[in-house]
Amino acid sequence: MSRLSNASGTDDAPALVRFGDDLRVDDNPALTAAAESGRPVVALFVLDDGTGRPPGGAARWWLHHGLAAVRDDLAALGIPLVLRKGAADLVVPGVAASLGAGLVTWNHRADPAAQETEARLAEALRADGRQPRRFLADRLFAPGEVQTGAGRPFRVFTPFWRAAMALPPPHRPKPVPQGTRAPADVPAGEALESLGLVPVAPDWAGGIAAQWRPGAGEAARRLAAFLDDGLAGYAERRDDVGVDATSCLSPYLRFGHLSPRRLFHAVRDRAGADGLGADGAKFIAELGWREFCRELLDQFPALHEEPIDHRFAAFQWRDDPVGLAAWQQGRTGIPLVDAAMRCLWQTGFIHNRARMVAASFLVKHLMIDWRAGERWFWDTLVDADVASNPASWQWVAGCGADAAPFIRIFNPVRQGERFDPAGRYVRRFVPELAGLPDSFIHRPWEAPSDVLRTAGVRLGETYPRPVIDLDEGRKRALAAFEDIRRGE
DNA sequence: AGCTAGTTGGG
DNA sequence: CCAACTAGC
């Protein structure tokens, strides 16, 4: 006992930095505070599947490699990373005790359950005579900072973002700390491999590994490439699903390899210097959606389970396991939807526009509960975010705060012809349709038989017929929504 | 961050 | 024939 109180009372008692969704050394305020204390520093990551929403399969693959990356980045600063498993409010105080830590820092997490645990954790640390400190690294603005004139949270994105952009800009990112050192004794941890984050057999992650390299170094490379090649024309090209015109930075934000403030200022500085005001504003507004989703999660902690719009509690979603499986596996017979869902399975990612179309098809045309889609995305997306994923599904389903009304139903053929006019996206992920001409690539069921024959397509054999007639599905959804609207 | 059906005005 | 525009879902 005396050892603990002595240790935490001296300046040379080590600082412990708990990592979470902030796998970076750049603009990491918890790390910077530990470094600036002048104490030796140890980093800790606790895999705690009992607190909050455990990451899905694709995110666990990313986490494995992201931890390896941040371990290397920390090692370059002379800081060891200790890996542990278990309940964070028990494990962190235990590690802090064996280290004799004085200062214990971490960055705020978006998951409401994690925040509850962290409140208990802070209590436990204080009771042990240590100094817990929490920082905000995951947001541009503090929770609740963006308010209506009446001091209430916004429920609609556009006024939210207008008010946010009228505030002083988020403060500048912090540089990588200098002069850090490790203590003589570092508590034992687990080997990364023993956390069991990556699939062994079958290894379904090959396509993901081919597409992505987790880590802050790759995030910085992608950001630089986007600023050089992607920002100019972003506003106009971002919806083209067949062209790689988006930044693909979402998983790097999800795991905190890239700080939102670093990204905000990098884009704003470049857009200002290069006269790309509209492109910069459009891109930064996407960060604004991420911010808005976090505000929603703060207000609605059950965001992935409960519709914000209570009218939808009574909505009769269809129980359709066959339709759900067809959607998940990319064999609905609707080319753009199937391309999106196969892209998801292969790469852990879907372009924003294709995401909306695929999600809309499940919720509107198949009338399957948005929560089933949300769970599938949660398990398969490398960027599955505790706030953005459920909030966006509620938006698509029309039951969210700032929801597109339920009656806004995407037509996947029309969307395909507008945003993938050359069929590049469909041909890449649905190769059995590649031989079709552009005029039928998004509607093979309307192609004349000689066109199908020439393309080597046999509907119902080489590629499915639509699981539902689009017009019929649209009318059914509208009718069901009318029932709700009348009953409200 | 929609779609459809219907209208109008121009070739 | 089409593009542009609108109301209503």
Side-chain angles (χ1 to χ4, degrees):
Chain A
M1 193 64 215
S2 60
R3 180 178 169 267
L4 292 186
S5 31
N6 284 343
S8 53
T10 60
D11 280 351
D12 212 40
L16 181 65
V17 184
R18 185 202 169 187
F19 280 72
D21 298 328
D22 54 349
L23 304 183
R24 62 174 180 268
V25 296
D26 170 66
D27 190 38
N28 187 325
L31 177 64
T32 298
E36 286 176 349
S37 74
R39 303 161 186 264
V41 178
V42 169
L44 168 68
F45 180 87
V46 183
L47 181 67
D48 178 3
D49 284 337
T51 299
R53 207 173 175 196
R60 295 173 90 80
W61 175 89
W62 190 291
L63 181 58
H64 177 98
H65 297 284
L67 284 169
V70 76
R71 182 179 58 190
D72 292 347
D73 295 341
L74 285 163
L77 303 181
I79 300 173
L81 174 65
V82 176
L83 302 175
R84 296 287 294 271
K85 265 196 236 186
D89 49 340
L90 301 177
V91 171
V92 177
V95 173
S98 62
L99 181 65
L103 176 65
V104 181
T105 68
W106 64 88
N107 293 311
H108 170 102
R109 298 171 76 175
D111 190 325
Q115 292 175 39
E116 277 177 35
T117 302
E118 281 163 14
R120 282 203 306 280
L121 170 58
E123 278 305 303
L125 290 167
R126 263 186 226 104
D128 289 347
R130 304 181 210 289
Q131 185 194 359
R133 289 186 67 193
R134 192 182 75 159
F135 299 87
L136 191 72
D138 183 47
R139 315 261 276 249
L140 299 173
F141 301 96
E145 186 181 350
V146 184
Q147 291 184 338
T148 66
R152 308 277 310 162
F154 283 98
R155 301 285 290 265
V156 180
F157 174 74
T158 305
F160 166 82
W161 194 234
R162 196 181 303 124
M165 290 295 90
L167 293 171
H171 58 72
R172 289 260 159 197
K174 296 172 183 295
V176 177
Q178 303 283 314
T180 43
R181 67 201 159 94
D185 296 314
V186 176
E190 306 214 25
L192 178 56
E193 287 65 30
S194 75
L195 295 183
L197 293 168
V198 283
V200 181
D203 179 7
W204 43 258
I208 298 178
Q211 190 78 19
W212 302 101
R213 185 193 299 266
E218 179 68 11
R221 275 189 291 279
R222 285 181 183 248
L223 172 56
F226 179 72
L227 292 176
D228 288 343
D229 304 328
L231 188 56
Y234 172 78
E236 198 187 319
R237 297 187 305 148
R238 60 184 297 273
D239 274 325
D240 293 344
V241 295
V243 182
D244 296 324
T246 62
S247 72
C248 293
L249 288 171
S250 54
Y252 298 91
L253 285 166
R254 153 69 183 85
F255 289 93
H257 296 311
L258 177 63
S259 137
R261 290 188 293 240
R262 172 71 64 198
L263 179 56
F264 175 92
H265 284 289
V267 171
R268 208 172 73 134
D269 291 352
R270 177 65 70 94
D274 294 359
L276 299 172
D279 291 318
K282 192 73 190 167
F283 184 86
I284 289 170
E286 298 304 311
L287 266 181
W289 276 100
R290 181 178 180 277
E291 203 79 1
F292 183 62
C293 293
R294 277 164 164 61
E295 289 287 320
L296 284 181
L297 182 59
D298 290 341
Q299 294 167 60
F300 303 97
L303 195 61
H304 72 293
E305 288 165 334
E306 288 174 18
I308 292 173
D309 183 338
H310 291 299
R311 292 177 302 171
F312 281 84
F315 195 90
Q316 290 294 304
W317 302 104
R318 288 177 59 253
D319 181 28
D320 179 6
V322 173
L324 178 62
W327 179 79
Q328 289 170 330
Q329 294 163 16
R331 42 179 186 77
T332 66
I334 311 295
L336 182 56
V337 173
D338 291 343
M341 298 308 292
R342 295 185 199 181
C343 176
L344 172 60
W345 186 249
Q346 282 173 39
T347 70
F349 186 83
I350 316 181
H351 184 285
N352 171 255
R353 170 65 50 178
R355 243 182 242 215
M356 293 191 291
V357 173
S360 168
F361 181 77
L362 182 79
V363 170
K364 307 284 170 63
H365 289 91
L366 292 180
M367 248 173 68
I368 290 174
D369 195 326
W370 60 273
R371 285 163 286 210
E374 198 274 343
R375 282 193 296 273
W376 182 252
F377 273 23
W378 179 258
D379 200 35
T380 53
L381 279 170
V382 289
D383 63 15
D385 180 89
V386 72
S388 301
N389 194 52
S392 302
W393 272 95
Q394 292 219 29
W395 183 88
V396 168
C399 59
D402 177 30
F406 190 88
I407 54 172
R408 285 191 193 162
I409 299 171
F410 285 83
N411 178 332
V413 173
R414 191 160 194 251
Q415 291 279 315
E417 288 173 348
R418 276 172 73 190
F419 299 114
D420 186 30
R424 284 192 51 186
Y425 190 70
V426 166
R427 288 193 178 89
R428 181 167 158 213
F429 291 105
V430 191
E432 65 266 37
L433 296 180
L436 283 174
D438 293 356
S439 50
F440 290 109
I441 190 82
H442 292 290
R443 45 173 112 208
W445 59 89
E446 289 178 12
S449 54
D450 61 311
V451 171
L452 289 173
R453 201 176 317 113
T454 308
V457 176
R458 292 189 305 281
L459 286 180
E461 295 176 48
T462 64
Y463 183 73
R465 297 180 194 283
V467 290
I468 184 162
D469 178 87
L470 291 176
D471 194 46
E472 205 175 288
R474 176 172 196 276
K475 285 179 174 142
R476 179 175 66 183
L478 287 173
F481 182 70
E482 267 307 297
D483 289 347
I484 280 231
R485 216 175 50 76
R486 274 199 302 272
E488 73 183 290

